[in-house]
């Protein structure tokens, strides 16, 4: 899966909000890519565009080298192969549906051949709900938060997708359940060869699960690279600040000033410069004018690492 120059605009009273701005991003087979950033930075909007649920204003999404289909039939076939795992299992599961019905619903919509009961049981077992017979008749309120999240994952893997888009998959879970679900995502990658885009505001999650990390700020990818490189030697001041406040960090904590700017009134120059610690300390004195007046280059796609920051050399193409 690949996005090329993906841009998503919203019309609002008084103008246009650019939620996603020129994003180039690759998701490779058999890898977990963590998409990290503060709430409101455009992560979920980007996921919606990748799923075909939001129409890009510019740019495109490619899957197996082909643009996303536009017909209802084509999109339905695409969404069988690219499955969304929603953020809130309590809200995503119909409280009147048993676990069996929740998992079987997608099989029926996509008319998946085979014995439905066997397929449901296999999906539940794959998601770690064993023995599956114990859970078939259960209702969502009878399950723990972690079990409900596993039901959503089972409903996705029942369709045998090749990509999972997981939107904050552990945000509502306690520490024990978080670890179990992250372990499940790793097993799905290793045993089924699934690729996964894991959307999160928590860089700490990326330590445990990601092969690569992409950091998003106000609609742009500002840093991307292998997880080990981004998490141990971050280059962008925003990534450095996010990492510094993790409990396990050995960096001095950097608390960003203020909230992200309103995307309807984007600042001139680098969109991060009003909160940039480097500007506040004078470390960027030589390039401060560029930071305030010139937008850094958009990061290319592909496997190359890069950071969109005037303090660093311009990223090279792939």
């Amino acid at each position: 899966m690949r996005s090329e120059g993906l841009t998503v605009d919203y019309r609002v009273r008084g103008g246009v909000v650019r939620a996603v701005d020129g994003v180039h991003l690759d998701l490779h087979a058999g890898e977990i890519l963590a998409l990290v950033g503060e709430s409101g930075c455009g992560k979920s909007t980007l996921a919606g565009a990748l799923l075909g649920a939001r129409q890009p204003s510019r740019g495109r999404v490619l899957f197996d080298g082909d643009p996303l289909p536009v017909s209802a039939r084509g999109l339905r076939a695409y969404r069988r192969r690219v499955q969304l795992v929603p953020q809130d299992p309590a809200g995503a599961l119909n409280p009147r549906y048993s676990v069996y019905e929740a998992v079987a619903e997608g099989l029926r919509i996509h008319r998946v051949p085979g014995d439905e009961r066997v397929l449901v049981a296999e999906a539940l077992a794959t998601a770690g709900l064993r023995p599956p017979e114990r859970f078939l008749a259960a209702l969502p309120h009878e399950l723990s938060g972690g079990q409900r999240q596993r039901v959503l994952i089972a409903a996705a893997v029942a369709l045998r997708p090749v990509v999972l888009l997981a939107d904050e998959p552990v945000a509502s879970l306690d520490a024990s359940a978080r670890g179990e679900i992250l372990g499940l995502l790793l097993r799905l990658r290793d045993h089924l060869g699934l690729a996964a885009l894991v959307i999160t505001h928590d860089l700490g999650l990326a330590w445990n699960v990601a092969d690569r990390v992409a950091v998003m700020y106000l609609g742009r990818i500002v840093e991307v690279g292998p997880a080990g490189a981004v998490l141990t030697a971050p280059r962008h001041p925003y990534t450095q600040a996010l990492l510094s406040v993790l409990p396990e960090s050995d960096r001095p904590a950097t608390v960003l000033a203020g909230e992200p700017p309103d995307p309807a009134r984007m600042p001139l120059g680098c969109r991060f410069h009003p909160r940039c610690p480097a500007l506040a300390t004078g470390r960027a004195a030589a390039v401060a004018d560029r930071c305030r007046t010139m937008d850094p280059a958009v990061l290319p796609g592909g496997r190359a690492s890069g950071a969109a920051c005037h303090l660093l050399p311009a990223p090279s193409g792939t």
Side-chain angles (χ1 to χ4, degrees):
M1 173 182 287
R2 176 181 177 87
S3 72
E4 296 182 342
L6 197 66
T7 298
V8 181
D9 293 334
Y10 288 106
R11 294 199 174 277
V12 296
R13 182 178 299 176
V16 173
V17 171
R18 179 150 293 173
V20 175
D21 188 5
V23 168
H24 299 275
L25 194 65
D26 280 21
L27 178 62
H28 305 287
E31 79 164 353
I32 296 177
L33 172 62
L35 180 63
V36 182
E38 294 169 291
S39 296
C41 73
K43 304 186 301 294
S44 294
T45 301
L46 175 59
L50 295 175
L51 190 65
R54 297 187 186 276
Q55 185 68 28
S57 307
R58 288 202 304 274
R60 60 179 183 167
V61 177
L62 301 175
F63 184 74
D64 284 346
D66 296 320
L68 255 60
V70 295
S71 69
R73 182 177 180 180
L75 278 174
R76 185 172 70 176
Y78 169 73
R79 288 173 186 157
R80 178 179 171 182
R81 303 185 69 195
V82 179
Q83 277 286 296
L84 175 69
V85 179
Q87 177 176 355
D88 177 18
L93 291 170
N94 188 324
R96 298 182 180 181
Y97 276 17
S98 67
V99 167
Y100 180 90
E101 292 295 323
V103 177
E105 183 178 25
L107 296 172
R108 295 168 185 167
I109 290 172
H110 292 278
R111 300 175 183 174
V112 177
D115 185 308
E116 182 180 278
R117 191 171 185 87
V118 171
L119 294 174
V120 169
E122 288 177 348
L124 291 174
T126 299
L129 293 170
R130 299 187 181 95
E133 293 77 17
R134 174 186 163 198
F135 298 94
L136 293 175
L139 294 172
H141 74 271
E142 298 172 323
L143 304 175
S144 69
Q147 288 171 336
R148 287 193 291 266
Q149 189 66 61
R150 288 177 186 271
V151 172
L152 291 179
I153 294 173
V157 300
L159 299 176
R160 299 175 184 171
V162 295
V163 174
L164 292 181
L165 303 180
D167 191 356
E168 298 281 6
V170 297
S172 61
L173 305 180
D174 61 32
S176 175
R178 281 168 59 95
E180 292 174 358
I181 296 300
L182 295 179
L184 173 59
L185 291 175
L186 289 171
R187 289 193 295 276
L188 293 175
R189 179 199 64 185
D190 295 340
H191 297 159
L192 301 181
L194 284 176
L197 178 68
V198 178
I199 299 165
T200 180
H201 65 279
D202 181 7
L203 259 176
L205 180 152
W207 282 99
N208 298 309
V209 75
D211 299 297
R212 287 192 304 133
V213 174
V215 181
M216 195 169 192
Y217 186 80
L218 280 181
R220 285 269 183 91
I221 303 298
V222 297
E223 184 161 5
V224 65
V230 173
L231 299 177
T232 60
R235 303 175 69 205
H236 196 282
Y238 179 57
T239 313
Q240 293 168 2
L242 292 179
L243 280 166
S244 74
V245 297
L246 295 180
E248 59 269 31
S249 175
D250 57 1
R251 298 170 176 271
T254 301
V255 179
L256 294 176
E259 297 295 326
D262 183 349
R265 294 187 294 274
M266 201 72 74
L268 293 175
C270 172
R271 59 197 64 197
F272 182 60
H273 89 260
R275 306 172 74 200
C276 183
L279 283 177
T281 61
R283 183 161 60 92
V287 296
D289 287 344
R290 291 171 61 196
C291 295
R292 296 187 177 100
T293 60
M294 296 177 60
D295 207 359
V298 175
L299 294 180
R303 293 184 180 270
S305 301
C309 178
H310 290 304
L311 289 169
L312 304 167
S316 59
T318 56

